[in-house]
Amino acid sequence: MKKIITYGTFDLLHYGHINLLKRAKALGEYLIVALSTNEFNETKGKKCYFSYNERKTLLESIRFVDLVIPENNWEQKINDVHEFKIDTFVMGSDWEGKFDFLRTYCEVVYLNRTPEISTTKIKQDLGYC
Ligand code: C2G
């Protein structure tokens, strides 16, 4: 069974995220999402609208997603790849090249980002920033 992992905040969940998760799952049979905790997001300079548990519930309801685990820090990826016996690490193309160090441990794939949608755009279009 080919196992895939991807990482992110997924707040506010939108179709760009779904496009990523759908394509990531298509690369194997089992998709793990490492979901950034609120505390980790603070270090990323991101303020979440939904709590970790709310974002986890949303992701677990997506048919492409098989398991959601916490992403607590930048350093856990190598351990995650070993612990979950990951075959392929996937991220959107805005992260192109940033995680190539993982090629020692697994396949690394960057999928094209869905260009026209982002949480920032949603907030701007709604007049919130
Ligand atoms: N994404 C996408 N298209 C968009 C928006 C996001 O393909 N229009 C992808 C991103 O490239 C990423 C995933 O969806 O692969 C999750 O996006 P974010 O929640 O913004 O993730 P980020 O905050 O970048 O956290 O350790 C990695 C970090 O946790 C990534």
Side-chain angles (χ1 to χ4, degrees), residues 9-10 36 44 46 71 74 77 92 94-95 113-114 117:
T9 304
F10 297 98
S36 308
K44 292 186 334 187
K46 280 195 162 186
E71 180 187 27
W74 293 111
K77 293 182 175 69
D94 47 319
W95 290 94
R113 180 186 173 87
T114 303
I117 184 73

Side-chain angles (χ1 to χ4, degrees), residues 24-41:
K25 180 59 176 287
L27 296 172
E29 287 77 40
Y30 191 87
L31 174 61
I32 299 175
V33 177
L35 180 62
S36 308
T37 60
N38 284 5
E39 296 74 16
F40 178 47
N41 274 313

Side-chain angles (χ1 to χ4, degrees), residues 6-12 14-21 23 34-36 40-41 44 46 55 71 73-74 77 89-95 99 111-119:
T6 191
Y7 292 73
T9 304
F10 297 98
D11 179 73
L12 304 166
H14 55 66
Y15 67 87
H17 297 133
I18 302 300
N19 282 345
L20 188 283
L21 296 171
R23 286 173 294 155
L35 180 62
S36 308
F40 178 47
N41 274 313
K44 292 186 334 187
K46 280 195 162 186
R55 290 180 286 123
E71 180 187 27
N73 55 65
W74 293 111
K77 293 182 175 69
F89 168 92
V90 173
M91 287 300 292
S93 53
D94 47 319
W95 290 94
F99 301 113
L111 298 172
N112 287 341
R113 180 186 173 87
T114 303
E116 74 282 359
I117 184 73
S118 68
T119 300

Side-chain angles (χ1 to χ4, degrees), residues 57-85:
T57 300
L58 285 165
L59 284 170
E60 287 172 337
S61 66
I62 298 169
R63 60 189 166 91
F64 308 121
V65 176
D66 297 289
L67 176 68
V68 179
I69 63 170
E71 180 187 27
N72 296 298
N73 55 65
W74 293 111
E75 295 75 27
Q76 71 183 72
K77 293 182 175 69
I78 294 174
N79 184 63
D80 290 345
V81 168
H82 288 135
E83 182 179 345
F84 293 98
K85 298 178 176 52

